[in-house]
Amino acid sequence: MSLNDLTSLTPQALAEYTTSVEQPVRLRETAAAQDILRYGAGVGSVIQLYPCLDRAMQQARLHISSSEKNGTSVADGTVILATSLNASKGRFDRVWHAPPGGLWGCLILADTFLPAFRHFLSFIPGIACCEALIQEGAVSAEIRWVNDVLAAGKKQAGFLIEGFRSPMHGEDYHLLGFGINVNNNSFPAELQESAGSLAGELGRSVNLHTFALSFLAKLRWYVGLLVFEEREWLARGGGEAYEDEHPLLRRWKELADTLGKDVVFGYDVLSSPQYQARAVELACDGALVLRHADGTTSTEHSGEIRYVENSHIA
Amino acid sequence: MSDEIDFDEILGKYHSDPYEYVDIFAEHTGKVRFLTEEGSTVEAVSGEWKHIPGTPLLEITRERNPKQITSPTNGVIASVNSNLEGSFVEAGEKLMTIRHPLKKKEIIECILKEVLYVFPAPERAKYFFSLDIQSRIDKKSAKEVSVKPGDDIIIMSLMKRDTPVYYDGEAGVIHSVYFKPGVSVQQGAPLIGVCPVEKVPLIKKVITRVKADWDKNEVSTV
């Protein structure tokens, strides 16, 4: 079997991996691990693997629409994977190169989350990916707000989360697109400076099947944790807003290197950078608090950052 | 929306009282401490990135977590519900009112908001037009772009999660755009104002009349 072969990546294989590898680790973290994994068990309960797609997100939309047309329902947590993508793109139509060797796909999640908890969805893929990279040996992997995953300053993975309303029944879904550079180690000229891969970081190829299991099992865990924490919060009495520190944010802080860094912020930071400031805090809803040179702060709920070297922001 | 507007009545109202009264409500439950008093002048949020907060108005404390509420607009404190000082209040309780002096442009917008269908922001987030709507706006202008219920007209961007926002008001053309791409919009704040095609002449009449009347008034008071 080739190192890049995903043909044996089945829901059964994922369930076995989760029980034998992920669950024992999580049980050391919390006694509620089995509960949490049960809540996340939908993730990867259906896996569709394609040799090649234009875009996995587009395939997810087609899958939802055609399921409705055929009178069938879409399994919450369906994962669509492709060996390569022909027309992949990042946010703002940025170039994303997706040849064989990477992990390219989309997770379909029905929008059953409480409004106060939807914010935290964006943190899940970055945390899951960063943990999977570290588990494979890329110990320098870190997260940049919100969910960029970098190793040695190079972007290893990108994620897109888009909403989709089904055309017939008006069901809302979150489509969580993921692209992780695993064994693909060559990039187009415009990405060579900024992009890196796990194989490049480790100096060796890795088993893509095992990496995919690890990443999907961690997605299971964190999606489960999101739902579990909703339950716990409601049991504590709920309220007008969730103002505790969510366990996802606690984990994000352990894995991210953003806080304390001087950054340039922008909604589309590459084409329209707005200002430089220091990232000082993560608000309880996941927003990034940025301190300007004059001591005032901005709290940003949307947008992106790039780190600034040799900055002199006080 | 009525076909006939009593311009004299509307304009008379704004001439006699050219202010907007902005009520400040408790964002959540908590104990209130006022930081300003009736008659005080307050400033709005400012700075290139809207990062300099407005004048502190009050502090609301819940579970030993104090939150300072600052002025969203400039003006004068018209009234303070001072009997609530030090009390525990429920979310949504009115705490004070700011009297904000209106400029001509704001008066036009205020009148238009009464006659347009105003589509509000579902969450505090950044908003931008969907690709289809944006390309139609680029080719013509927003005022020539028509929308109908069910159209995904706007993308809401929050924590790098992009969600289509479906229009659910009456069909018409996009007359007013109240958001700027990349700038945060508070939940409930207006995103766009839509006008049924047949009412567009009426809207134009409103704008022309207000401008002419206001300019005439400003000249006569110089």
Side-chain angles (χ1 to χ4, degrees):
Chain A
M1 190 173 86
S2 145
L3 276 177
N4 291 332
D5 188 3
L6 287 176
T7 50
S8 53
L9 186 65
T10 60
Q12 293 73 24
L14 178 59
E16 283 165 23
Y17 179 92
T18 304
T19 309
S20 61
V21 180
E22 197 68 26
Q23 185 171 292
V25 174
R26 300 301 180 181
L27 273 169
R28 288 198 286 275
E29 294 173 14
T30 168
Q34 283 180 318
D35 251 12
I36 293 170
L37 283 169
R38 252 196 302 276
Y39 277 119
V43 174
S45 56
V46 172
I47 296 177
Q48 299 179 356
L49 176 64
Y50 295 86
C52 186
L53 288 171
D54 280 343
R55 294 188 65 210
M57 302 285 264
Q58 189 52 30
Q59 184 61 34
R61 289 187 180 88
L62 282 172
H63 174 62
I64 293 167
S65 304
S66 60
S67 298
E68 277 196 340
K69 222 179 252 176
N70 299 333
T72 57
S73 58
V74 176
D76 186 22
T78 295
V79 171
I80 291 168
L81 294 171
T83 304
S84 64
L85 302 175
N86 289 328
S88 56
K89 65 178 181 73
R91 298 186 86 217
F92 310 113
D93 287 333
R94 290 176 190 153
V95 176
W96 189 266
H97 182 56
L103 188 62
W104 324 116
C106 177
L107 165 66
I108 301 173
L109 291 174
D111 181 23
T112 55
F113 303 100
L114 296 172
F117 285 75
R118 281 193 205 113
H119 304 307
F120 303 122
L121 260 181
S122 303
F123 291 86
I124 289 177
I127 296 171
C129 174
C130 192
E131 284 188 352
L133 292 176
I134 291 170
Q135 185 175 308
E136 195 63 47
V139 289
S140 68
E142 286 173 311
I143 305 173
R144 180 177 63 195
W145 188 81
V146 178
N147 56 24
D148 289 338
V149 179
L150 313 178
K154 294 201 167 191
K155 190 162 169 172
Q156 309 286 313
F159 305 101
L160 280 175
I161 304 177
E162 293 178 356
F164 178 65
R165 182 170 289 177
S166 68
M168 269 173 81
H169 301 313
E171 294 277 356
D172 285 326
Y173 294 90
H174 299 286
L175 308 182
L176 196 158
F178 52 87
I180 307 174
N181 299 322
V182 183
N183 289 327
N184 55 309
N185 211 2
S186 65
F187 299 96
E190 66 265 39
L191 295 177
Q192 274 174 12
E193 282 296 304
S194 58
S197 71
L198 178 58
E201 177 64 12
L202 298 177
R204 61 172 170 83
S205 294
V206 302
N207 185 313
L208 186 61
H209 169 86
T210 308
F211 180 82
L213 287 174
S214 168
F215 174 63
L216 293 177
K218 292 172 200 331
L219 282 181
R220 254 185 191 195
W221 171 257
Y222 286 110
V223 170
L225 185 62
L226 187 59
V227 182
F228 177 80
E229 183 55 22
E230 283 185 342
R231 186 191 79 174
E232 294 294 293
W233 179 66
L234 290 173
R236 293 196 294 271
E240 297 145 17
Y242 182 83
E243 290 187 344
D244 303 335
E245 186 179 43
H246 196 285
L248 272 165
L249 300 192
R250 277 203 296 277
R251 185 61 180 138
W252 182 91
K253 285 179 184 172
E254 290 167 357
L255 295 169
D257 66 343
T258 299
L259 299 184
K261 281 231 162 76
D262 291 343
V263 304
V264 56
F265 172 85
Y267 179 65
D268 173 357
V269 74
L270 293 186
S271 67
S272 309
Q274 291 181 330
Y275 60 82
Q276 281 192 26
R278 180 165 294 171
V280 289
E281 201 185 324
L282 194 66
C284 62
D285 60 359
L288 188 63
V289 181
L290 296 159
R291 193 175 66 215
H292 299 267
D294 64 2
T296 58
T297 57
S298 294
T299 301
E300 299 291 354
H301 290 84
S302 195
E304 49 188 18
I305 57 169
R306 291 292 182 269
Y307 297 143
V308 180
E309 302 299 331
N310 306 318
S311 169
H312 302 290
I313 297 166
Chain B
M1 184 170 69
S2 165
D3 280 342
E4 292 302 322
I5 290 182
D6 187 339
F7 287 111
D8 291 336
E9 188 191 332
I10 292 178
L11 291 171
K13 189 181 111 186
Y14 282 105
H15 275 307
S16 63
D17 189 22
Y19 298 98
E20 182 184 16
Y21 292 85
V22 180
D23 293 329
I24 306 295
F25 299 96
E27 288 187 5
H28 54 65
T29 51
K31 198 172 166 183
V32 168
R33 184 167 71 92
F34 291 105
L35 303 174
T36 187
E37 55 189 26
E38 212 170 295
S40 302
T41 302
V42 293
E43 297 298 331
V45 60
S46 60
E48 189 178 0
W49 313 112
K50 300 283 179 206
H51 59 286
I52 301 170
T55 307
L57 298 176
L58 57 102
E59 192 176 78
I60 185 162
T61 303
R62 183 171 66 186
E63 293 178 7
R64 285 174 287 174
N65 179 19
K67 186 186 280 180
Q68 197 172 81
I69 307 300
T70 57
S71 181
T73 187
N74 67 307
V76 170
I77 303 296
S79 65
V80 176
N81 203 348
S82 48
N83 60 328
L84 294 174
E85 173 72 31
S87 310
F88 188 86
V89 297
E90 296 291 339
E93 180 127 22
K94 186 174 151 185
L95 301 174
M96 61 169 62
T97 301
I98 300 169
R99 194 177 65 194
H100 164 71
L102 292 167
K103 293 176 184 155
K104 180 173 72 179
K105 195 178 167 195
E106 291 174 305
I107 288 174
I108 292 173
E109 281 305 328
C110 283
I111 296 173
L112 287 181
K113 276 177 191 166
E114 288 176 28
V115 293
L116 295 174
Y117 175 80
V118 175
F119 185 63
E123 286 186 56
R124 179 179 57 189
K126 291 182 179 176
Y127 292 86
F128 53 95
F129 283 114
S130 64
L131 287 177
D132 174 48
I133 297 284
Q134 188 60 57
S135 69
R136 283 157 59 195
I137 290 173
D138 292 343
K139 277 181 200 155
K140 308 172 188 173
S141 81
K143 288 187 173 67
E144 291 179 61
V145 173
S146 55
V147 295
K148 61 181 188 311
D151 286 353
D152 55 335
I153 52 168
I154 287 172
I155 303 290
M156 177 180 77
S157 185
L158 188 57
M159 304 286 175
K160 281 176 78 180
R161 174 171 59 87
D162 295 335
T163 309
V165 177
Y166 295 90
Y167 181 68
D168 62 1
E170 54 184 317
V173 294
I174 300 173
H175 185 278
S176 299
V177 178
Y178 302 111
F179 69 95
K180 286 182 186 162
V183 178
S184 284
V185 180
Q186 293 297 316
Q187 183 178 24
L191 288 174
I192 56 169
V194 173
C195 174
V197 178
E198 67 276 13
K199 305 284 170 87
V200 171
L202 178 70
I203 298 289
K204 282 183 178 160
K205 210 166 140 189
V206 170
I207 296 169
T208 310
R209 180 71 195 269
V210 174
K211 276 183 176 169
D213 192 90
W214 222 256
D215 290 343
K216 186 178 71 185
N217 192 265
E218 280 176 0
V219 169
S220 66
T221 56
V222 171

